[in-house]
């Protein structure tokens, strides 16, 4: 290929990296609904939130008007260690598909946490450190968020307590070990280190734990220990703000080469990656400057956008955290254990939920066997072993590119490749052996879960 | 930090990537000794070699005079998928050490094989494909080379048969699975698919296999199957030629920013990474244009440079492959099973051996517990979980930087960070638990192994 074409990988110069995060909410006509206090069902005040989150993050969480937040120098320096991430032109995938479409992906996997989660982890850890706190607590399921937070805390010299769902702790010893390399204190949940943990252990002595329980333990420790706060890797407005770095870099790189995407695709669990990737593009759309098709891709086993209801719900299974207005399957919904990847959250970011309700984006759900098939094909031609989560976006992008093959349209497709699958090889093995199944909830499953919610 | 400084990561433009490999042998006054036929003990002819390797690679193997070999476009296009690799300024490590030294590392881990091995895998697979062959065979121990070759073959549509040392096959199921994602045929060795495998299985029914045995099986299949050749990931001259891409990119990036290294450090097993990294610098040294200190770092448990003998020896434990003149511990030497990383080869590249014999480079050996300590410290400040192999170089670089701290010298240190440690977490866990030991061979161990060699 000639040297004048668009390169395989576009890396921005360090000086071109974003100096501010972009707050999409500032351009939304219909703002996302506020979090509600689970006791009073009134909007959470800054004061209430500051018992859980550190002050600067409370400000970011509640601010629906300021369009840009300056990224502190220390965070920008940390970003420089693993960013800018490459915007990749998928020449080999295009050739393999025989499509006239031009496919690009923003690859966030080239860091030890293996995903985009590090973008918000360092921000949350930084503000905690800056406030003079001793440490932070969090929960982790698959382990990407826990790893990212461990890395950020280790860098800043902040204590990091991770409650890891017990079955993951036992089944994913490597994820656990990476966190230990970074000095995190990793506790299998439920544990006897918290009241809620002891209560659950007493009631269900052999339980493998759940994300909901791990959240409850992490929140209990944060709110009952001097100098600690709780942090969360997705769903929250502040997380989408930090993740805007993904979209801002993408936009700068595309503008530099005169590329305009027609379709933007991202996988969606809690919404952190998708919200970050689309932010500057959605901003243009909201301001009426340009139009883009934006597609959220979710697993058929946990389809909050495509089969959930737009309403207030708890963010945790334990129903102790604030309520958020979002597309939800009900906080007691637990996706089948057969589902191998992440994206297992019952709800969705309030920001994305509002945009979806306003018809500003689309959503599709895909089956996991199709996802792994796309993942393997992608790995073989693009040389990257993708995370199962990210592969949801790959599949949707491939489907769009194949439509272009039929119609002959030369569309430009952009998708987010959030991370790598090095710690997901048990799932890949299952797929190879033909042991992977698609377990899709029935309407009754979802109805039951939603019916258990309090009316707000 | 200001934007005018040297960036954290230097990425070359696609157009600045090397268009030719550099053949260090062309500038060596004392050429590396030729491979010998194990039957006749005469130098291997091109004809003899072409039964094992494909033709173009035989040419590259034997050519001690041509300074540059053009990189075919197809290989350059593949390189563009995962290269240029970043040259990283280790600002955070420098700060942590409080050293006036400037530390740089060339990071080769940002690809799914997790190491630099892909640079030669794609070249060897390409020439095999170009010659119209059906497939290639190889052996793999830890699995990095097997993974790299699987990726290259999958990309080119070439069949790939990997003989994986049985105990690794069982203990490293994830490595095995990655190769399967890339469609490789992975057989635990010894196996009943070869004569030599069946013979060994009959004699030692419960054996976990060895690299030597896996080589013998891979060579047997290559030489007895129509349309197949054998490929090897290190030691050979051709491999060092392909790996020169590492050094050439590094040199271009350094020249662009006016950086000159005083010390260049690389880990050394068979020599592929070190030979590649140093090539253009050593070229300048050989031509008398500039001087550099060059340091090979090897494990104390397998110290071929520092405690071996410079003589002819077999490249394989089975003593069926050609003999190479090299620093060797004797082909029957097997490093302790306690040694966690790679770098387990009994000998060393003939090119590097000659350079070392001529006093053009130094060598040090380091203990693995010190290596893992350095690895963990590095991970915490630089955000990359390094492979145990690569961490040998980290340790030596840190030691050099600490010397600068004592003397106040502002030396520029460059080292090769060959890969990531995502598949080495069992070893990290052992290290955390304090279960890791240093098993260092006695003089008698080495003597015995050397005494078993035929006199040449």
């Amino acid at each position: 290929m000639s040297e004048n074409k668009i390169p395989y990988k576009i890396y921005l110069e360090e000086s071109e990296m974003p100096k501010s995060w972009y707050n999409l909410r500032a351009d939304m006509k219909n703002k996302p609904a506020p979090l509600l206090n689970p006791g009073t069902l009134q909007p959470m005040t800054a004061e209430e939130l500051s018992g859980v989150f550190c002050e600067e993050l409370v400000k970011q969480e509640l601010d629906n008007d300021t369009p840009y937040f300056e990224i502190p120098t220390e965070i920008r320096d940390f970003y420089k260690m693993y960013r800018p991430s490459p915007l990749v032109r998928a020449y080999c995938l295009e050739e393999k598909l025989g499509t006239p479409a031009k496919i690009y992906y923003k690859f966030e996997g080239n860091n030890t946490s293996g995903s985009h989660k590090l973008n918000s982890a360092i921000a949350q850890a930084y503000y905690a450190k800056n406030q003079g706190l001793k440490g932070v607590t969090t929960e982790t399921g698959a382990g990407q968020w826990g790893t990212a937070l461990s890395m950020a805390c280790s860098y800043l010299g902040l204590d990091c307590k991770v409650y890891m769902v017990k079955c993951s702790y036992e089944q994913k010893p490597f994820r656990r070990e990476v966190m230990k390399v970074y000095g995190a204190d990793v506790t299998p949940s439920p544990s006897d280190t918290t009241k809620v943990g002891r209560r659950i252990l007493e009631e269900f002595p052999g339980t493998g734990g759940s994300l909901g329980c791990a959240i409850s333990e992490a929140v209990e420790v944060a709110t009952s220990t001097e100098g600690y706060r709780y942090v969360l890797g997705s769903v929250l407005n502040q997380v989408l703000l930090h993740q805007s770095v993904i979209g801002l870099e993408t936009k700068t790189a595309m503008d530099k080469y005169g590329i305009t995407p027609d379709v933007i695709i991202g996988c969606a669990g809690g919404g952190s990656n998708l919200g970050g990737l689309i932010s500057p593009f959605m901003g243009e759309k909201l301001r009426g400057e340009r139009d883009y098709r934006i597609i959220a891709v979710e697993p058929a086993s946990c389809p909050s956008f495509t089969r959930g209801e737009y309403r207030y719900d708890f963010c945790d299974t334990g129903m102790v955290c604030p309520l958020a207005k979002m597309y939800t399957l009900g906080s007691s919904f637990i996706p089948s254990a057969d589902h191998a990847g992440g994206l297992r959250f019952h709800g969705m970011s309030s920001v994305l939920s509002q945009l979806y309700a306003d018809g500003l984006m689309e959503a599709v759900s895909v089956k996991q066997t199709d996802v792994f098939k796309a993942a393997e094909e992608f790995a073989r031609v693009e040389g990257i072993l993708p995370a199962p989560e990210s592969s949801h976006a790959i599949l949707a992008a491939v489907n769009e590119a194949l439509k272009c093959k039929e119609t002959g349209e030369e569309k430009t497709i952009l998708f987010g490749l959030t991370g790598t699958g090095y710690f997901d090889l048990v799932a890949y093995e299952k797929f190879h052996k033909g042991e992977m199944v698609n377990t899709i909830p029935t309407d009754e499953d979802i109805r039951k879960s939603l019916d258990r919610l309090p009316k707000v």
Side-chain angles (χ1 to χ4, degrees), chain A:
Chain A
M1 304 205 177
S2 102
E3 303 290 4
N4 298 327
K5 290 180 62 169
I6 286 165
Y8 278 62
K9 296 199 260 42
I10 304 175
Y11 281 107
L12 297 178
E13 299 290 323
E14 207 168 77
S15 57
E16 295 169 314
M17 288 171 65
K19 293 176 183 63
S20 301
W21 293 301
Y22 166 59
N23 181 12
L24 183 56
R25 286 166 282 161
D27 282 309
M28 288 171 72
K29 220 184 332 186
N30 300 325
K31 305 291 180 189
L35 294 171
L36 299 187
N37 182 313
T40 63
L41 297 184
Q42 292 303 303
M44 292 285 285
T45 63
E47 208 191 325
E48 287 170 337
L49 282 172
S50 66
V52 183
F53 303 122
C54 66
E55 283 156 29
E56 200 59 35
L57 291 170
V58 170
K59 271 188 215 160
Q60 294 180 0
E61 189 63 31
L62 295 176
D63 190 332
N64 287 340
D65 303 304
T66 307
Y68 289 96
F69 284 83
E70 200 185 319
I71 308 175
T73 312
E74 292 83 348
I75 298 178
R76 287 175 53 209
D77 280 345
F78 187 87
Y79 279 170
K80 288 174 193 167
M81 273 186 8
Y82 70 99
R83 307 197 67 81
S85 69
L87 176 68
V88 186
R89 173 74 186 267
Y91 282 119
C92 302
L93 180 62
E94 291 170 18
E95 202 188 315
K96 164 91 179 171
L97 297 174
T99 177
K102 293 170 188 66
I103 309 175
Y104 292 86
Y105 55 92
K106 180 71 167 167
F107 179 44
E108 293 286 319
N110 276 346
N111 71 74
T112 295
S113 81
S115 82
H116 66 293
K117 295 283 180 186
L118 199 49
N119 301 330
S120 185
I122 184 63
Q124 296 190 49
Y126 168 79
Y127 290 117
K129 177 80 179 177
N130 216 32
Q131 193 176 314
L133 297 175
K134 280 187 216 153
V136 291
T137 72
T138 201
E139 77 292 331
T140 201
Q144 285 178 326
W145 168 246
T147 309
L149 191 66
S150 306
M151 289 177 70
C153 288
S154 155
Y155 180 81
L156 295 168
L158 200 65
D159 189 33
C160 178
K161 293 184 193 300
V162 180
Y163 284 85
M164 186 171 187
V165 177
K166 193 185 270 175
C167 60
S168 292
Y169 183 90
E170 283 159 5
Q171 284 163 17
K172 296 200 166 187
F174 289 178
R175 273 282 182 205
R176 183 185 79 205
E177 270 318 304
V178 180
M179 288 185 257
K180 287 189 177 171
V181 167
Y182 288 97
D185 176 14
V186 188
T187 307
S189 166
S191 74
D192 60 6
T193 63
T194 65
K195 276 186 219 166
V196 60
R198 286 190 293 271
R199 199 168 61 220
I200 291 169
L201 279 175
E202 209 163 291
E203 201 170 342
F204 310 100
T207 179
S210 72
L211 209 52
C213 166
I215 293 179
S216 306
E217 290 203 81
V219 171
E220 182 185 319
V221 172
T223 51
S224 64
T225 315
E226 179 69 28
Y228 280 76
R229 290 294 184 281
Y230 169 71
V231 296
L232 182 66
S234 192
V235 184
L236 298 172
N237 297 340
Q238 58 188 269
V239 176
L240 265 71
L241 176 70
H242 307 147
Q243 294 296 358
S244 69
V245 70
I246 305 174
L248 293 166
E249 276 187 13
T250 306
K251 184 88 173 59
T252 304
M254 289 196 139
D255 286 350
K256 201 171 162 181
Y257 283 85
I259 307 160
T260 309
D262 297 297
V263 192
I264 305 171
I265 297 169
C267 62
S272 70
N273 146 67
L274 181 66
L277 175 66
I278 66 172
S279 57
F281 301 99
M282 183 60 91
E284 289 185 311
K285 189 165 173 166
L286 287 164
R287 295 189 302 270
E289 295 162 11
R290 194 162 234 165
D291 198 19
Y292 302 98
R293 259 188 82 203
I294 292 173
I295 307 173
V297 193
E298 54 185 20
S301 57
C302 192
S304 42
F305 266 144
T306 49
R307 296 179 63 199
E309 241 174 46
Y310 188 36
R311 54 172 295 171
Y312 266 105
D313 188 5
F314 294 93
C315 290
D316 63 324
T317 319
M319 301 190 185
V320 297
C321 288
L323 291 96
K325 191 174 176 195
M326 55 187 176
Y327 281 84
T328 180
L329 301 163
S331 48
S332 66
F333 180 83
I334 294 180
S336 160
D338 288 332
H339 180 65
L343 312 177
R344 303 173 70 91
F345 188 61
H346 63 275
M348 184 58 69
S349 139
S350 290
V351 171
L352 294 185
S353 291
Q354 187 60 49
L355 293 168
Y356 184 65
D358 290 342
L360 290 157
M361 50 185 284
E362 308 164 28
V364 294
S365 78
V366 290
K367 287 181 198 159
Q368 75 168 345
T369 49
D370 295 337
V371 166
F372 275 83
K373 191 161 168 278
E376 188 162 286
E377 279 171 8
F378 180 84
R380 290 187 181 191
V381 292
E382 289 289 319
I384 294 169
L385 185 77
E389 297 82 357
S390 328
S391 305
H392 287 69
I394 295 174
L395 174 57
V398 165
N399 288 341
E400 288 297 321
L402 290 176
K403 274 186 218 160
C404 290
K405 190 176 176 178
E406 276 176 31
T407 61
E409 287 174 290
E410 290 186 26
K411 280 191 186 163
T412 297
I413 299 167
L414 164 66
F415 73 91
L417 190 74
T418 54
T420 49
Y422 301 130
F423 294 105
D424 300 288
L425 284 158
V426 171
Y428 273 97
E429 189 173 10
K430 232 177 166 174
F431 171 68
H432 285 140
K433 289 186 173 166
E435 293 168 0
M436 184 170 275
V437 293
N438 296 307
T439 312
I440 297 167
T442 62
D443 288 343
E444 207 197 330
D445 293 336
I446 297 173
R447 192 68 266 153
K448 261 191 198 162
S449 167
L450 287 168
D451 284 346
R452 291 179 60 183
L453 291 180
K455 305 284 171 245
V456 178

